[in-house]
Amino acid sequence: MKRRDFIKYTSGAIATGSLLSKAQSFANINPSQSAEIIVVGAGVMGGWTAFYLQEQGAKVTLIDAYGPGNTRSSSGGETRILRADYGEKLMYTKMVVRAHELWDKWQKEWGRKLMYSTGRLSIGPADYLTYAKEAKRRLKPFGIESEVLDRDEIIHRWPQLGILEDEVALYDAGGAGGSTLLAREACRATTEKFIENGGTFIHTKGLPGKSVNGKLDFIELSDGSKLRADQYIFAGGPWMGSIFPEILKDKLKVFRRDVLFIGTPAGDPRFSYPNLPIWLFRGTRWYGFPDFHGRGLKAAPFPDYNSIDMDTDERLIHHIEIKRARDFVAQRFPALKNQPITGGRVCQLTLSTDEHFIVDTHPDNVNLWFACGGSGHAFKHGPAFGEYMSNRVLGGAQVEEYDKAFKLKGEKF
Ligand SMILES: Cc1cc2nc3c(=O)[nH]c(=O)nc-3n(C[C@H](O)[C@H](O)[C@H](O)COP(=O)(O)OP(=O)(O)OC[C@H]3O[C@@H](n4cnc5c(N)ncnc54)[C@H](O)[C@@H]3O)c2cc1C
């Protein structure tokens, strides 16, 4: 079995001691051997962190309890938006521009399509015009040429949309201004490349073990065995509050989000890529994607804050969301009014108190890092985040602005 296949082999199996010994013999790895850095969590934050640490020459073991881009994780959806418009938070705009460059670089190098230049159309009531004009001005220095569109122009370009009187839009034609990332596919690709490049991936759960002289000594795996390293990075997404309850429970809030797919009419490509951009109706608070690969138009309400148990809750769409989706579609995508809902997904947002990511060391363990607090916007930053995180942990180039914003702060929910 080739290294590339290891991930496939482990993804359907229960992580036990016997699995580890099989993996050792198949993939020629030794999970019990000390690694320099262990990354817990192969979502977008952990996966790219492991990848970039390895790029910088570190010896890295990446573990995940359910596998990269799994259904329960926040990174496990079909698609995610890459957009540069972050209002006044220009540090994220900068990070997106870098991320876009890197997504493009890696998808080309790997020969695997992970990003589509779909464009992004953000529609709002008349008073959105001021924001749209400001956004256009703010994005220009980053090389992004946005357009501000009036109602007639929106209808002219996308007659398949239901546009209300006086609505206006901000349109970014693609690139860093508005692209679509294949989320689950990208998580698998990152981990597969990490393995191909010599990294070790183990399908197992890992929890922090004992601390010795202000350092974490080991993590404990599902089968009770211990894994040691010089540094440990926990990128457990929505699980972080339960892994470190004393530190993170009050600093992170996890909410459930329901996402629906609506079938497109037979032989009608108007709702499929490339005929529709990412769309967002600010007034009615719904956003979504064109149909990709025949999955259906993706539609999600925002914000929708309901609690969720990460390990035990079923991921079935709530019937209230189905009713709401039908009402929304009838108004905004009239031609889809009688189309069936073709599927749904449940995801979760992990909000930090100020919606900045959290990158910091554990207050009592200098070698234990947190990389979490995605706050509903981390996916797009994946490779730029991994690049930043690996520099941070290995003591390379620092970005003071990020270091400060991502600090573990005192505020609690
Ligand atoms: C509906 C929805 C829409 C979104 N839209 C966008 C968007 O358009 N653009 C955007 O940029 N962002 C978006 N986001 C946010 C983005 O998806 C998240 O911020 C991002 O995926 C978080 O990644 P993560 O790596 O922190 O967490 P996760 O993806 O959840 O990864 C954590 C991983 O850790 C593993 N794990 C947890 N505990 C352990 C343990 N003890 N041992 C081993 N493994 C463990 C889990 O199995 C999981 O794979 C959206 C989120 C949702 C829910």
Side-chain angles (χ1 to χ4, degrees), residues 40-46 63-70 72-76 79-82 86 204-207 234-239 243 257 259 287 289 347-349 371-372 374-381:
V40 178
V44 77
M45 287 178 130
I63 73 167
D64 198 289
Y66 300 110
N70 68 79
R72 286 181 229 197
S73 71
S74 295
S75 305
T79 43
R80 291 288 182 265
I81 302 172
L82 186 145
Y86 258 94
T204 185
K205 181 173 172 177
L207 293 174
F234 275 78
W239 284 267
I243 302 174
R257 273 268 175 99
V259 174
Y287 79 97
F289 298 75
C347 188
Q348 50 286 314
L349 305 179
C372 59
S375 302
H377 65 104
F379 200 93
K380 66 181 77 58
H381 298 284

